[in-house]
Amino acid sequence: MARVFSGIQPSGVPTLGNYLGAIRNWVALQDAHDCLFCVVDLHAITVWQDPSGLRQATREMAASVMACGIDPARHILFHQSAVPAHAELAWIFNCVARLGWLNRMTQFKDKSGKDREAASAGLYVYPNLMAADILAYHATLVPVGDDQRQHIELANDIAQKFNHDYGREFFPLIEAAIPVTSARVMSLRDGTRKMSKSDPSDQSRINLTDDTDSIVQKIRKAKTDPAPLPETLAELEARPEARNLVGIYAALTEATPEDVLRRFAGQGFGQFKPALAECVAETLRPIRAETLRLMADTTALDAGLRAGAARAAAIAEPILRETQALVGLLPAR
Ligand code: AMP
Ligand code: TRP
């Protein structure tokens, strides 16, 4: 059975993009796989995080994914920094990955922006840590949004080079599980940028903890155009904001964008937006309530994460020891 691993950064409250692009697929994979889900706090600090904000966001992320349906009893939910094998394996991968590979990473280019010299070294080697997250468990199936495709390819390049250099088929090939309809949910303010929990404008995203009033208000104010919805998807190509809202509706109702257009063609956003807002609010209402309930007891939440980390470490440690031996590092014990 393929082992599943996925991670999410505690760099804010998870968004509808995180839910449709990633978390919802994590939930679905639980039935037929052994899964590890990780709140990647070490990835989050590649850009500045206020320490108390980081603690809060780590708990909130864990509570949110449980509220979405992740079962920490049957599977493993933990925070990355609690399992040292991630950072230790990442160092070895820093020595396997080539600068030329990292220089091609578009997420680094986006996140470092114009002042690349001022970006942290951690942001640059971020994909090596991500490869270590996955490969420390010999996981082979990784549910992520479309923006992570390039990082998964890099992880495979690292695994292949490691296997080649050390002469053993040790790390397996990783497959990304990317959803078809909701791989990339875009900002409500700009249909060409992805919806992100780190966007300075709260109006650009739906947070999983938004109440019905703010959902309705954000969707009412979402950027659109005056034309009614067309009959074919091709006609939406030059209308990224409209395309995005149709995509969200399709993903939430588990329909195709074509189905949505069949239903709403000819109608304006005055009709479509309230229908969409209702759909979003319906989906998020129970998630929000359960997140708030779990957040009320941080002692239990922290204990649960630590217990998850102990189970994760029991899988990762032997794999790390074997990696170290292959590299030629003397055993520590
Ligand atoms: P991050 O928020 O960058 O930690 O991403 C966590 C997971 O959510 C990853 O699998 C991403 O690919 C996915 N994700 C993040 N933002 C979006 C988005 N706007 N649309 C679809 N998937 C997303
Ligand atoms: N880089 C991912 C993101 O920003 C988060 C992540 C870190 C991840 N490690 C991972 C996702 C391992 C999948 C597997 O979205």
Side-chain angles (χ1 to χ4, degrees):
M1 188 175 15
R3 181 178 280 153
V4 169
F5 185 99
S6 197
I8 189 163
Q9 298 189 59
S11 48
V13 181
T15 68
L16 188 63
N18 294 132
Y19 178 69
L20 295 175
I23 304 171
R24 192 169 70 160
N25 304 308
W26 301 6
V27 174
L29 285 166
Q30 291 183 118
D31 285 339
H33 297 85
D34 286 330
C35 306
L36 295 118
F37 300 115
C38 186
V39 182
V40 292
D41 46 5
L42 297 176
H43 276 102
I45 60 169
T46 55
V47 297
W48 170 252
Q49 303 294 333
D50 165 69
S52 70
L54 180 61
R55 275 186 283 274
Q56 162 84 7
T58 302
R59 293 180 176 124
E60 208 157 57
M61 186 55 75
S64 293
V65 299
M66 282 193 267
C68 290
I70 295 303
D71 179 352
R74 276 173 51 226
H75 299 277
I76 299 180
L77 175 67
F78 67 109
H79 54 310
Q80 187 183 28
S81 59
V83 179
H86 293 242
E88 292 181 64
L89 187 59
W91 179 260
I92 294 176
F93 287 173
N94 283 343
C95 304
V96 174
R98 306 289 95 184
L99 288 185
W101 303 355
L102 293 172
N103 286 338
R104 286 197 286 273
M105 294 297 113
T106 55
Q107 181 171 299
F108 176 75
K109 291 179 196 167
D110 290 348
K111 281 201 175 181
S112 58
K114 287 192 183 64
D115 194 4
R116 196 163 297 175
E117 298 282 306
S120 75
L123 189 65
Y124 188 66
V125 292
Y126 174 117
N128 299 344
L129 177 60
M130 179 163 162
D133 295 340
I134 302 164
L135 292 167
Y137 301 91
H138 279 186
T140 52
L141 193 60
V142 181
V144 282
D146 180 59
D147 61 326
Q148 296 302 310
R149 192 187 293 275
Q150 200 184 27
H151 289 161
I152 303 290
E153 283 164 13
L154 184 91
N156 276 326
D157 289 342
I158 291 175
Q160 252 181 29
K161 180 163 165 57
F162 182 96
N163 292 348
H164 175 265
D165 290 354
Y166 294 103
R168 194 171 137 204
E169 284 304 305
F170 184 63
F171 289 116
L173 196 71
I174 303 165
E175 189 193 330
I178 297 173
V180 182
T181 42
S182 52
R184 213 175 267 252
V185 176
M186 309 312 277
S187 157
L188 299 180
R189 289 272 133 138
D190 176 352
T192 64
R193 295 176 60 85
K194 77 167 177 173
M195 181 180 286
S196 164
K197 48 184 145 59
S198 53
D199 191 310
S201 162
D202 192 58
Q203 294 296 320
S204 72
R205 63 177 160 263
I206 308 276
N207 306 305
L208 295 193
T209 49
D210 283 347
D211 60 21
T212 299
D213 285 351
S214 30
I215 293 170
V216 168
Q217 181 259 8
K218 282 177 180 178
I219 291 181
R220 183 165 10 96
K221 289 195 174 157
K223 185 176 167 196
T224 39
D225 53 49
L229 284 169
E231 286 187 6
T232 66
L233 210 52
E235 293 167 81
L236 279 182
E237 235 160 62
R239 299 169 63 187
E241 285 82 14
R243 173 77 187 78
N244 185 40
L245 297 187
V246 167
I248 293 174
Y249 192 96
L252 286 168
T253 55
E254 309 211 20
T256 65
E258 289 84 353
D259 293 332
V260 178
L261 289 181
R262 262 192 291 281
R263 179 159 161 213
F264 287 98
Q267 300 189 27
F269 287 99
Q271 284 142 307
F272 181 63
K273 279 180 167 180
L276 174 64
E278 189 181 318
C279 211
V280 175
E282 276 298 299
T283 306
L284 297 195
R285 198 171 294 121
I287 294 177
R288 169 184 149 82
E290 181 62 3
T291 305
L292 296 179
R293 191 187 73 76
L294 291 165
M295 281 299 285
D297 188 352
T298 53
T299 312
L301 208 50
D302 291 5
L305 284 173
R306 281 196 301 271
R311 290 161 58 211
I315 304 172
E317 282 287 320
I319 294 176
L320 175 67
R321 297 294 160 239
E322 217 174 325
T323 311
Q324 290 169 328
L326 281 170
V327 171
L329 307 174
L330 287 179
R333 283 176 280 282

